Amino acid sequence: MSVLVFIDQAEGHIKKSSFEAASYGAKTAELSGTFAEAIVIGQMKDDLSELGKYGIKKVHAISNEALNNFDSKVYTTLIQQLVESTNANTVIFSNNTSGKSIAPRLSIRMKAGLVSGAVALPDITSGFIIKKSVFSGKAFANIKIHTEKKIITLNPNAFNIIKGNGVAEIVEFTTTLPAYSIEVTETNKIVGDVPLSEADIVISGGRGLKGPENWGLVTDLAKLLGAATACSRPVADIHWRPHHEHVGQTGLAIAPNLYIAIGISGAIQHLAGVNRSKTIVVINKDPEAPFFKAADYGIVGDAFEVVPKIIESIKKMKSLS
Amino acid sequence: MLPIIEDWWLFFNYNFTIMKILVCISKTPDTTAKIAFADNNTKFASDGVQWIINPYDEWYSLVRAIELKEADPTISIHLINVGGPESEPIIRKALALGGDEAIRINCDSNDSFNVASQIANVAKQGNYDLIFTGKETIDFNGSSIGGMLAELLDLPFVSHVTKFNIETNMAVIIREIDGGEETNKAAMPLVISCQKGMAEQRIPNMKGIMGARTKPLKVLDPVDVVSLTSIVSFDLPPAKAGVKLVSPENPEELVRLLHEEAKAI
Ligand SMILES: Cc1cc2nc3c(=O)[nH]c(=O)nc-3n(C[C@H](O)[C@H](O)[C@H](O)COP(=O)(O)OP(=O)(O)OC[C@H]3O[C@@H](n4cnc5c(N)ncnc54)[C@H](O)[C@@H]3O)c2cc1C
């Protein structure tokens, strides 16, 4: 009857979104009077007992180098085997590329109702109801799962990590390796950068920046704050910036703690992907730009003058503290 | 003598089967539609709403299928939609863009498992080499149909695809992963979910629009499926308190507010 959390990894390191999933899983377990366990697939570098700090009691590791390559079919088979052997009732994923590939498959195998993109803990006062993001962040839907077994994928940055003192027990889950249906021939990581979906702070530029040669404003500010960079759709369409930076209704939907929009008008399709951000700052020279209506803080001014001053001021603040 | 006859049929199939692509298309409200709810917040208020093809289905999966067909005209593109009669205008538009024929399964699309089961039931009989979905719909944001379909059909599944090519009977795929990308190779049949990078948006031309009127659009009754989830209600996010404007002469004040008030830096 336990809760099982899928811990996603990259190059042997646990992703930030998986710590959120672990905290969420532990809280969900607490609500239903049970405990949370985790599954980790592949060869890891991180110390898995650390997951205890996030409320995980036991970690089932399948430490096999060969499993570092992702295949939704293989991962689904392994997770399903563990679900059967531990009799887990609820499985939690992060709603990232891995979670989105595995959870739907697993829901068919387990005959479990799936809610993807959860933003809050389940409400179990009458049935099992989960709030999820819909209309690309413009609204929420409360979804009831009717089945005994349940699968939830948690939106990144939607649930705060809860860190305590526990130590998780690590057990090796031994099983035969399922056959791969996909061959991973190449992986290109953008090294050193913060993945946009998980970033705490995002600095985003729009057409108001006039051209790719001016992006230093965005990247300098991002570097200073340890932030990820993003852009509006036209900026990616005209190839000033790579496609994966495009946020909005038809790009990536994000919910960082801080979103700073520079030279972006704030069209409804752009807002849809960013309006779940906790604090929104808009820098735009047009006082009528619609983005100001969705912002917490704003400066009406020329980005080319304002942003360098902001950078200086942050540097000053950092050198004082 | 029987085995020889069977072998001959295999040979026949191998050489003369045309490639078939099934493109799943969903109907979503226009991106500028006002998001409001009716009936005690249990239903999307659709009065006056313009409906469009889900952008991921249209711009990326359908257009990429059309590009593959342009390179190899023997390819046949079938469209499938789970929805009521109000889906027909968007199906006709997809035919105008370049689908060859369409199937509409006449039922509600409120539960991903139901939608995936309806499509899988048709796909099982259709011998498709490729099944394309969008990475998600812009209304429900479920990202579930592709993966569920793949599992129901026992096929490989690659999500978040940004590039798709066929090289010597193998699919060569680039997909987005968190903070990077990955190249995958897979045999067909195969299910993929598509996103930006796959293709560029197109506008149907007059010839396409005229031709679409007479292309086959088959309506099928749904199979019985028990939904695994249901929508209880909708909420709107709380309104923002209003923007605090800082003078452009004094950006230090913004930095101070972000540090002390918002505690964001
Ligand atoms: C179906 C559909 C889906 C879409 N999906 C998305 C999406 O996912 N994401 C997205 O972003 N867009 C999307 N769009 C496009 C969206 O409608 C807008 O066109 C787009 O967001 C505008 O980008 P922008 O703000 O960078 O450019 P613009 O609208 O051109 O705005 C530029 C802004 O920069 C300001 N500016 C100019 N110079 C300066 C300066 N020196 N200093 C400060 N400010 C300056 C201007 O005042 C202006 O407000 C979609 C559109 C459609 C129809």
Side-chain angles (χ1 to χ4, degrees):
Chain A
M1 289 302 283
S2 57
V3 172
L4 181 68
V5 181
F6 171 73
I7 300 296
D8 199 12
Q9 56 121 340
E11 273 112 43
H13 300 292
I14 299 171
K15 293 183 184 174
K16 176 190 154 202
S17 55
S18 289
F19 290 122
E20 293 168 354
S23 300
Y24 182 94
K27 280 285 157 202
T28 302
E30 213 176 289
L31 281 178
S32 19
T34 173
F35 54 90
E37 302 189 328
I39 176 167
V40 183
I41 301 176
Q43 197 63 52
M44 295 295 290
K45 296 188 183 118
D46 287 354
D47 174 10
L48 296 177
S49 66
E50 288 276 305
L51 283 165
K53 295 198 169 114
Y54 304 87
I56 300 295
K57 236 178 110 176
K58 193 192 262 184
V59 180
H60 303 267
I62 312 177
S63 328
N64 186 332
E65 186 81 52
L67 287 168
N68 283 28
N69 283 335
F70 185 79
D71 178 343
S72 63
K73 220 174 158 180
V74 170
Y75 277 44
T76 302
T77 301
L78 295 172
I79 298 168
Q80 188 206 8
Q81 286 172 0
L82 188 71
V83 164
E84 277 170 8
S85 86
T86 61
N87 201 19
N89 184 61
T90 304
V91 186
I92 314 278
F93 293 88
S94 170
N95 193 34
N96 63 6
T97 47
S98 316
K100 288 176 188 177
S101 311
I102 310 166
R105 292 201 88 120
L106 188 66
S107 91
I108 300 291
R109 294 244 186 132
M110 286 173 60
K111 298 190 175 50
L114 162 67
V115 173
S116 52
V119 296
L121 286 171
D123 175 354
I124 56 166
T125 45
S126 75
F128 195 94
I129 297 173
I130 297 160
K131 190 187 281 294
K132 85 177 281 291
S133 173
V134 290
F135 294 101
S136 313
K138 291 179 203 166
F140 301 107
N142 299 300
I143 309 288
K144 187 169 201 163
I145 300 185
H146 302 294
T147 47
E148 163 69 23
K149 306 245 175 202
K150 295 155 182 93
I151 302 178
I152 304 169
T153 71
L154 174 69
N155 262 353
N157 285 339
F159 192 78
N160 285 336
I161 291 172
I162 305 164
K163 208 169 164 185
N165 293 318
V167 177
E169 177 195 348
I170 304 170
V171 287
E172 187 66 29
F173 182 62
T174 38
T175 176
T176 47
L177 202 68
Y180 268 74
S181 64
I182 280 159
E183 187 194 347
V184 180
T185 55
E186 203 182 320
T187 306
N188 285 312
K189 283 270 175 184
I190 309 156
V191 222
D193 278 357
V194 189
L196 185 51
S197 57
E198 294 189 353
D200 242 355
I201 304 180
V202 174
I203 316 294
S204 188
R207 211 146 52 172
L209 286 176
K210 310 279 189 293
E213 66 280 7
N214 299 324
W215 237 260
L217 285 180
V218 172
T219 52
D220 286 355
L221 184 55
K223 220 174 261 156
L224 193 58
L225 294 172
T229 52
C231 68
S232 68
R233 178 179 160 210
V235 164
D237 281 351
I238 48 188
H239 306 297
W240 291 359
R241 297 298 292 173
H243 282 320
H244 66 253
E245 284 198 0
H246 162 190
V247 291
Q249 192 153 17
T250 52
L252 192 69
I254 53 172
N257 200 30
L258 175 62
Y259 183 74
I260 303 185
I262 307 172
I264 302 177
S265 59
I268 189 164
Q269 298 93 355
H270 184 85
L271 294 180
V274 304
N275 61 5
R276 285 190 303 111
S277 311
K278 192 144 172 267
T279 300
I280 295 178
V281 176
V282 171
I283 298 162
N284 195 305
K285 69 175 182 189
D286 175 11
E288 302 295 318
F291 220 146
F292 285 114
K293 290 206 176 70
D296 299 287
Y297 301 99
I299 292 186
V300 180
D302 187 333
F304 296 97
E305 289 164 22
V306 172
V307 177
K309 286 190 202 159
I310 293 176
I311 291 176
E312 280 321 303
S313 162
I314 294 174
K315 279 187 183 155
K316 211 156 75 191
M317 182 185 83
K318 292 211 158 180
S319 70
L320 290 178
S321 64
Chain B
M1 291 324 281
L2 211 60
I4 295 173
I5 296 171
E6 270 182 8
D7 282 355
W8 182 81
W9 269 100
L10 276 178
F11 178 75
F12 182 86
N13 279 331
Y14 180 77
N15 274 290
F16 300 99
T17 323
I18 51 164
M19 181 161 183
K20 281 167 78 181
I21 308 178
L22 184 66
V23 178
C24 304
I25 58 171
S26 173
K27 163 179 129 312
T28 59
D30 176 58
T31 54
T32 59
K34 183 173 159 42
I35 305 304
F37 303 101
D39 294 356
N40 229 347
N41 283 336
T42 56
K43 276 202 178 72
F44 174 61
S46 57
D47 280 358
V49 165
Q50 280 270 359
W51 297 98
I52 59 170
I53 309 172
N54 179 43
Y56 293 108
D57 306 348
E58 178 188 339
W59 304 351
Y60 309 125
S61 65
L62 176 57
V63 176
R64 186 63 195 134
I66 294 167
E67 287 173 353
L68 291 171
K69 186 185 166 91
E70 284 164 352
D72 173 4
T74 64
I75 290 177
S76 143
I77 302 173
H78 291 191
L79 309 170
I80 190 160
N81 167 265
V82 178
E86 63 289 352
S87 285
E88 297 211 349
I90 66 118
I91 299 174
R92 288 285 171 207
K93 184 183 174 193
L95 288 169
L97 280 162
D100 293 306
E101 51 188 271
I103 299 157
R104 177 171 69 80
I105 304 168
N106 189 26
C107 81
D108 227 27
S109 57
N110 272 336
D111 171 64
S112 309
F113 174 66
N114 180 27
V115 173
S117 303
Q118 301 298 343
I119 298 174
N121 185 52
V122 171
K124 265 177 201 153
Q125 300 152 33
N127 262 320
Y128 294 99
D129 302 277
L130 289 169
I131 302 179
F132 287 5
T133 74
K135 80 157 182 181
E136 65 185 13
T137 56
I138 62 165
D139 51 2
F140 197 66
N141 305 121
S143 321
S144 313
I145 304 299
M148 286 184 175
L149 256 177
E151 188 58 37
L152 288 164
L153 299 168
D154 196 24
L155 296 179
F157 171 55
V158 181
S159 72
H160 300 84
V161 176
T162 57
K163 292 255 161 15
F164 180 90
N165 282 300
I166 300 166
E167 287 168 20
T168 51
N169 283 325
M170 289 290 276
V172 180
I173 300 160
I174 297 182
R175 69 184 289 250
E176 191 174 299
I177 53 175
D178 298 339
E181 57 180 38
E182 190 177 86
T183 309
N184 289 177
K185 251 184 169 174
M188 294 178 282
L190 168 76
V191 182
I192 64 167
S193 80
C194 309
Q195 68 171 38
K196 190 162 187 172
M198 281 282 276
E200 300 277 343
Q201 184 182 4
R202 289 186 180 187
I203 291 162
N205 58 28
M206 212 34 170
K207 190 167 156 249
I209 295 168
M210 301 305 285
R213 293 188 188 161
T214 52
K215 284 181 180 171
L217 192 173
K218 207 164 34 180
V219 180
L220 299 180
D221 283 330
V223 284
D224 271 338
V225 175
V226 180
S227 290
L228 305 184
T229 63
S230 59
I231 300 173
V232 178
S233 61
F234 292 96
D235 311 317
L236 288 170
K240 284 262 177 192
V243 61
K244 227 181 226 183
L245 287 179
V246 173
S247 155
E249 308 303 325
N250 190 17
E252 295 79 17
E253 175 60 4
L254 175 70
V255 174
R256 188 193 68 79
L257 286 167
L258 289 179
H259 184 58
E260 292 174 10
E261 191 178 85
K263 301 199 175 4
I265 60 173

